[in-house]
Amino acid sequence: MNRRQRCLAGIAVAAIAAGGLSIAVAQAVTPPAGTPDLSLMTLQPADLAPGAVVTHSLYVKPSTHVIAEYDRTFGSATTTAGVKLTDLVTAVLLVDSTPEATRLYKALRLIYTSKLGHALLAAGIVKSAGKLSGVKPKDVHFAKPTSADVGAQSLLEAISIHVKHRTVAADLVVLRSDAVLAIVNAIVLRPHLDTSVVDGLAGTVATHITTVLAATGSTGSTGSTGTTGATG
């Protein structure tokens, strides 16, 4: 597994680790001029039932080939259908081109569909949880990935993590829409979460991405990834 895939796995681990486990607060950065407003692509408090608690919402340092990344985490939230979540995490990455976004999506998919990728993710989750959690690699279990049917490409992965005397369910969707990648992670402190919950939330994110890109022309000839934009 190459360095790029390991970086992407790190992003996924950071999302998964939020659910009752330790996670470092990322250092906020300023995105390049002309970047579409990625904060509008993430889940909004208005997408959830009243009372959702935002624990952090900020641009963070992007990885290679990524123009900007925005992360928003809800410490607790309830969906509009009444499903209570312990944590809800969204990471949105604007990549420097649609072909590169497609390649990065495929790299992430490899992580979630390979034995080596699962081992890497499990090790990252254990490290994020910390020694006091008692979590071991054998306590992290991955279901068979399926399609989330959102965006141009997507996968849905249900993950369960045994933490002492309880099991954390961490359902996650990775999706690509044009040159944007998004990770949506819904976490509950119980053994199971209906996958339709994270699927529906990911659909909302995909709609936000499409709306923002249409309004800003970010993938057009004058947008941030176009011929006269930041990467043109």
Side-chain angles (χ1 to χ4, degrees):
M1 186 168 291
N2 62 33
R3 182 178 180 182
R4 178 185 301 170
Q5 291 168 338
R6 289 180 182 276
C7 289
L8 289 170
I11 294 170
V13 166
I16 297 166
L21 308 177
S22 62
I23 181 171
V25 177
Q27 182 68 40
V29 300
T30 301
T35 300
D37 191 347
L38 302 190
S39 70
L40 298 179
M41 297 182 182
T42 67
L43 286 168
Q44 310 295 308
D47 297 325
L48 304 164
V53 178
V54 177
T55 55
H56 81 263
S57 187
L58 71 172
Y59 283 95
V60 299
K61 185 178 179 180
S63 57
T64 304
H65 291 292
V66 177
I67 296 172
E69 177 185 342
Y70 196 92
D71 295 352
R72 176 171 289 145
T73 299
F74 295 86
S76 63
T78 301
T79 69
T80 54
V83 180
K84 294 183 179 180
L85 305 174
T86 304
D87 289 271
L88 178 59
V89 184
T90 309
V92 177
L93 295 77
L94 177 64
V95 185
D96 58 17
S97 71
T98 298
E100 185 61 33
T102 301
R103 284 191 287 271
L104 293 182
Y105 169 81
K106 289 180 179 178
L108 269 175
R109 184 172 183 83
L110 177 62
I111 290 169
Y112 285 105
T113 57
S114 70
K115 189 173 182 179
L116 177 59
H118 286 177
L120 180 62
L121 287 168
I125 291 169
V126 169
K127 182 178 180 180
S128 296
K131 293 181 179 180
L132 295 180
S133 72
V135 180
K136 299 178 181 178
K138 66 181 180 63
D139 298 326
V140 183
H141 302 277
F142 300 87
K144 184 178 179 179
T146 61
S147 172
D149 294 323
V150 295
Q153 295 173 294
S154 65
L155 67 87
L156 189 158
E157 174 74 86
I159 302 170
S160 61
I161 307 165
H162 295 291
V163 184
K164 294 184 178 179
H165 300 297
R166 67 172 186 256
T167 300
V168 176
D171 288 358
L172 181 145
V173 168
V174 179
L175 68 95
R176 181 190 68 80
S177 182
D178 292 322
V180 177
L181 289 176
I183 297 174
V184 181
N185 191 201
I187 301 162
V188 293
L189 299 182
R190 57 179 186 269
H192 176 74
L193 175 66
D194 194 311
T195 54
S196 64
V197 175
V198 70
D199 199 352
L201 294 170
T204 299
V205 170
T207 298
H208 289 332
I209 292 170
T210 299
T211 299
V212 173
L213 293 181
T216 60
S218 63
T219 58
S221 61
T222 60
S224 63
T225 61
T227 55
T228 62
T231 62

